[in-house]
Amino acid sequence: GHPVIFFMFVSHKLFRWLAMPFMLLFLAANLALVGQSAWYAATALAQGILYLLALCGWALQNKTNLLPLYLPYYFVAVNWGALLGLWRYLAGRQSAAWTRSRN
């Protein structure tokens, strides 16, 4: 009955958990279609650059504060963490509920 609230829930909760599986799916699709058109080649190249910058940001995380390396690293790390959390939840090893800290 509340389409705006439903959209907010789906986009801010559900899609956040599924971002990394979609990113991996899009990468696989781009790599499979790279020879079909320049568009797929360009998007595959862009994804490759994003992941390469993230890898460089991870390797240099305590040595530099370069924003072009930090932002891709942070983006990929956050989504990777969400994927691991989803995996643990589905495996029954982690609750999705927050618990209060004792401090």
Side-chain angles (χ1 to χ4, degrees), residues 21-65:
F22 281 129
M23 288 166 58
L24 295 172
L25 178 68
F26 294 152
L27 179 62
N30 266 336
L31 293 177
L33 296 169
V34 79
Q36 300 294 318
S37 75
W39 170 254
Y40 295 121
T43 55
L45 179 64
Q47 280 185 294
I49 290 170
L50 172 78
Y51 296 135
L52 182 63
L53 287 173
L55 185 64
C56 290
W58 172 76
L60 300 172
Q61 61 186 322
N62 294 327
K63 297 174 180 69
T64 186
N65 287 332

